Amino acid sequence: MDLSYFKKISHWTWQLMPEDRMRVPAIIFASESLLAEMDDKVLEQLSNVATLPGIVAASMAMPDAHWGYGFPIGGVAAFDPDLGGVVSAGGVGFDIACGVRTLLTGLHFEEILPRKKNLADLLFQTIPAGLGSKGNLKVKNKDMDQLLLKGAKWAVEQGYGDKADLDKIEERGTAKGARPEFVSAKAKQRQEREMGTLGSGNHYLEVQVIEEIYDQKVAQVFGLRQNDCVVSIHCGSRGLGHQIATEFMREMIMEAKRQKIYLPDRDLACAPINSKTGQEYLGAMRAAINCALANRQILTHLVRQTFDVVFPGINMPLLYDVAHNTCREEYHEVSGQKRKLFVHRKGATRAFGPGHPDLPLEYRDVGQPVLIGGSMGTSSYILVGTEKGMQLSFGSACHGAGRTMSRRQAKKMYTGPKIVQDLDQQGIEIRGHSYRGLAEEAPDAYKDVSEVVEVAHKTHLAYKVARLRPIICIKG
Amino acid sequence: MKPYWDHFYHQADIGIIGAGPTVSSAFAQAGLALTAVITELDKVRPVQEKEISIEAPELDILFFDYINEIIFLISTQGMLFSEYTVKIENLSLEATIKGEPIDVQKHAPAVEVKGATFSGLKVFKNNQGFWVAKCIVDV
């Protein structure tokens, strides 16, 4: 991207002042090199988002931003319902509430090492992953509606995990205001056999070693010790979320026309928050958030069962669960005034700072754990939300590395067997159903996650707490 | 010129494109492009049949709905498809698509397609008089 488009606000903050139909500026948090590598489409999409009614402060992109559809991936935008603010299905994305949760194991790296292969095989056998895989749980009718209303709480009630887990999940495991009646029969049908499945693409389950700790005090609060292992699960709301996104994107095209909302790109299709379509989407989207939370909860149970076979009696508490693709009703201070806003985070993580009432008591003094996923073979990071981030980005941070290379390019440049061999040499047990899928997800097809995290840290969006290195990776 | 399908560039996702002498053949080719995002086409035997019947207010929305209907069948029927026969009249589409149940060992699906997007969505007649149907699918 051409840097001359921007006014440089700080070393890592770049601003495009409003032009044409833009109502607010566009802001990108990035180093010079990350910005230079970004596709021009990111800025075009950010500028388009800035034209939407009721947008507040700025249309923002996190340092891992890349070209999406409608909104960029890594895009953050808040809308005020009282100013005609909108909600956009494309602004949330297809995999609603796709996210990461991390479990502590209390196991030292060297305890796992001799059993690594066995553990990888068992996890791969137990966790349904990839297209064509089915969960053991079939959920229909009333049970489905309960699941969509209660989220992870429903899963715990069915025996998947502990009540204590719920405290460590955003909104205590249940997105309020879910309306299963606005979720179509087709969306529910798509989910009947998909609960407790990982999905595919960049979704994974990893066993990771805590390789470096940057902030001892916060790490201690989070229960992180150097050389201990954790398990991270990256997946989302599966077919149900995909179908809701598909149907509402189409519906919002019609609604935007009816409401005479100017759309520079049809993927920005949206509806006023205070409209029937807007409210129906929010109800359905929250149901999809609950679906994702229940799904990660079921997978957590399967992971614990598997670990218990290899390490009998093991206790694996949940560190935290964060979602990436959401629109959430939140209160933020804007120009000294507290306002109710609907914050879209598409490929971005909520990162609330210390003292926020929504945080679990244990974490309230330090801030929210922010879980940043790596890309099969590269590091992942745990950060903590900051007070400054609340002001800069409505309490948001990056979510991962972000792609730099298309799947087609990656497929041409890498082969599955070579990737397995390379990862093996790095001490990573990789398991997947498809060599082509592994090639398309090659670690080098993504940005350097360390540079992305460094920018988040230096801009004060979220502070570094720990770096994790994978030793087992189950790919969807 | 023969009908053809192809993929086109998107940084994170992938574009599918179908082209042929009629709108129907372009849609049929795009179906093949969709399957080829997931697996190699020659690995999928056309032994079981499914029907699609849809209507839409515009031709490109019809294409969006058609691709999403195939994605819905892949997801709920656990099948992949390698033969597409499409008939379009007055924004009304009838299709017969043939394939087989997904066999993870045999098909080694690379990725799951989540849905069609409006990005790059276009149905048009090109300079060579061929109909082209294209869009980016989220994977």
Side-chain angles (χ1 to χ4, degrees):
Chain A
M1 194 182 292
D2 187 346
L3 271 54
S4 67
Y5 295 145
F6 298 95
K7 184 178 165 194
K8 194 171 177 176
I9 303 292
S10 77
H11 202 63
W12 295 279
T13 310
W14 309 78
Q15 182 173 303
L16 175 78
M17 290 310 288
E19 292 172 359
D20 304 324
R21 287 174 177 263
M22 288 170 68
R23 297 167 195 257
V24 291
I27 289 176
I28 302 182
F29 300 101
S31 61
E32 211 165 291
S33 60
L34 282 174
L35 187 66
E37 279 173 22
M38 272 182 206
D39 196 292
D40 279 354
K41 281 272 185 188
V42 174
L43 185 60
E44 186 188 317
Q45 292 186 328
L46 269 187
S47 306
N48 288 341
V49 172
T51 69
L52 295 177
I55 187 164
V56 175
S59 158
M60 289 178 266
M62 300 293 113
D64 53 342
H66 60 98
W67 175 23
Y69 48 90
F71 282 52
I73 314 289
V76 174
F79 295 85
D80 187 334
D82 296 333
L83 299 176
V86 293
V87 58
S88 164
V92 170
F94 270 89
D95 200 351
I96 298 168
C98 164
V100 178
R101 67 163 52 189
T102 297
L103 303 163
L104 307 174
T105 71
L107 293 168
H108 191 275
F109 169 53
E110 285 177 0
E111 286 176 87
I112 286 198
L113 213 51
R115 296 167 189 192
K116 198 170 60 167
K117 261 192 167 55
N118 181 23
L119 188 59
D121 289 336
L122 276 178
L123 286 168
F124 191 54
Q125 278 165 27
T126 313
I127 308 295
L131 179 63
S133 64
K134 283 185 167 55
N136 286 326
L137 179 69
K138 191 170 180 188
V139 187
K140 286 189 85 169
N141 307 328
K142 273 186 185 167
D143 285 342
M144 178 66 81
D145 284 354
Q146 285 299 305
L147 180 165
L148 298 179
L149 272 174
K150 294 183 178 173
K153 192 174 172 214
W154 176 86
V156 169
E157 284 171 3
Q158 306 302 308
Y160 298 99
D162 310 320
K163 266 191 180 159
D165 293 336
L166 300 177
D167 276 340
K168 302 290 174 57
I169 304 173
E170 286 174 318
E171 298 181 273
R172 306 286 185 280
T174 306
K176 291 182 197 74
R179 301 285 297 272
E181 67 270 35
F182 298 140
V183 178
S184 71
K186 282 178 96 168
K188 291 174 185 172
Q189 195 187 337
R190 243 175 117 165
Q191 196 61 25
E192 275 178 12
R193 295 302 301 265
E194 293 205 342
M195 290 311 293
T197 64
L198 198 59
S200 71
N202 62 354
H203 292 165
Y204 60 73
L205 185 150
E206 283 188 352
V207 180
Q208 303 157 327
V209 186
I210 302 167
E211 204 165 45
E212 192 169 358
I213 288 191
Y214 304 98
D215 187 325
Q216 280 296 346
K217 184 190 141 213
V218 178
Q220 200 173 358
V221 175
F222 288 171
L224 304 171
R225 285 184 313 197
Q226 195 164 2
N227 292 323
D228 271 8
C229 289
V230 298
V231 178
S232 294
I233 303 168
H234 178 211
C235 67
S237 52
R238 312 288 295 108
L240 181 123
H242 308 165
Q243 190 67 25
I244 290 171
T246 298
E247 290 168 8
F248 276 95
M249 274 170 70
R250 191 184 189 283
E251 175 59 26
M252 284 176 171
I253 290 263
M254 313 296 172
E255 180 66 15
K257 216 180 250 180
R258 283 193 291 268
Q259 300 274 354
K260 296 189 172 53
I261 297 171
Y262 166 75
L263 295 179
D265 175 348
R266 280 193 294 183
D267 275 321
L268 289 174
C270 55
I273 292 157
N274 291 333
S275 68
K276 185 170 170 280
T277 304
Q279 287 299 308
E280 287 183 0
Y281 173 70
L282 284 167
M285 183 212 58
R286 290 165 182 151
I289 293 178
N290 283 332
C291 175
L293 296 178
N295 192 36
R296 287 197 284 273
Q297 187 64 36
I298 294 168
L299 286 168
T300 297
H301 181 68
L302 297 177
V303 169
R304 284 175 176 152
Q305 278 185 328
T306 310
F307 265 75
D308 195 61
V309 172
V310 185
F311 302 99
I314 188 171
N315 179 30
M316 297 176 69
L318 179 59
L319 166 65
Y320 207 58
D321 179 303
V322 296
H324 297 150
N325 294 349
T326 57
C327 172
R328 284 202 158 107
E329 182 181 327
E330 294 169 5
Y331 287 86
H332 289 277
E333 210 173 286
V334 184
S335 312
Q337 265 194 326
K338 204 170 190 186
R339 285 160 68 175
K340 182 172 85 175
L341 302 175
F342 285 74
V343 185
H344 292 64
R345 296 184 181 91
K346 182 181 182 180
T349 302
R350 188 147 88 169
F352 281 168
H356 198 287
D358 285 356
L359 295 182
L361 274 177
E362 293 101 306
Y363 304 154
R364 204 166 289 172
D365 285 347
V366 295
Q368 181 204 307
V370 180
L371 312 172
I372 309 290
S375 48
M376 191 175 70
T378 60
S379 297
S380 292
Y381 286 82
I382 295 172
L383 286 76
V384 63
T386 68
E387 190 55 50
K388 184 83 177 163
M390 298 304 291
Q391 299 154 19
L392 285 174
S393 59
F394 303 107
S396 312
C398 49
H399 82 310
R403 278 193 93 94
T404 61
M405 193 186 287
S406 74
R407 295 184 168 273
R408 209 179 184 183
Q409 258 176 299
K411 198 170 72 179
K412 277 183 190 160
M413 287 185 68
Y414 308 101
T415 67
K418 179 79 169 60
I419 285 173
V420 173
Q421 192 190 341
D422 288 351
L423 293 176
D424 184 56
Q425 279 169 5
Q426 295 167 43
I428 302 166
E429 290 289 336
I430 178 99
R431 298 287 185 278
H433 291 292
S434 157
Y435 275 137
R436 183 175 137 194
L438 293 179
E440 290 182 8
E441 287 294 322
D444 290 344
Y446 287 82
K447 290 185 216 298
D448 177 357
V449 66
S450 301
E451 191 176 351
V452 165
V453 164
E454 205 57 37
V455 173
H457 180 82
K458 285 181 170 150
T459 41
H460 312 287
L461 293 175
Y463 292 136
K464 289 192 295 182
V465 178
R467 179 164 53 84
L468 316 171
R469 178 174 62 83
I471 54 169
I472 295 172
C473 179
I474 310 296
K475 281 301 285 184
Chain B
M1 199 157 70
K2 279 184 176 172
Y4 66 89
W5 63 265
D6 203 352
H7 294 146
F8 65 96
Y9 174 77
H10 184 273
Q11 196 173 29
D13 296 308
I14 193 158
I16 57 168
I17 189 163
T22 61
V23 179
S24 300
S25 61
F27 275 45
Q29 290 292 319
L32 296 173
L34 177 69
T35 304
V37 169
I38 304 166
T39 188
E40 313 309 322
L41 274 172
D42 57 9
K43 287 184 183 168
V44 184
R45 292 177 309 143
V47 291
Q48 284 183 35
E49 209 172 274
K50 297 282 166 194
E51 304 287 336
I52 295 175
S53 179
I54 43 173
E55 287 178 17
E58 293 164 29
L59 197 51
D60 54 356
I61 303 269
L62 187 70
F63 183 62
F64 176 86
D65 289 348
Y66 160 73
I67 295 297
N68 279 322
E69 202 56 32
I70 301 168
I71 292 168
F72 178 74
L73 287 173
I74 292 170
S75 165
T76 53
Q77 305 296 312
M79 285 180 71
L80 291 169
F81 302 97
S82 56
E83 258 186 42
Y84 294 79
T85 310
V86 180
K87 200 173 146 197
I88 298 169
E89 268 172 25
N90 301 326
L91 297 174
S92 168
L93 177 149
E94 302 284 336
T96 304
I97 64 176
K98 291 183 183 174
E100 65 175 335
I102 297 168
D103 176 339
V104 174
Q105 293 298 320
K106 180 176 138 187
H107 300 124
V111 77
E112 182 176 15
V113 182
K114 296 171 185 167
T117 76
F118 287 97
S119 282
L121 174 66
K122 246 181 180 176
V123 180
F124 63 101
K125 209 172 193 176
N126 71 10
N127 294 337
Q128 288 85 44
F130 249 41
W131 280 95
V132 178
K134 59 194 278 263
C135 77
I136 287 160
V137 292
D138 191 304
V139 293

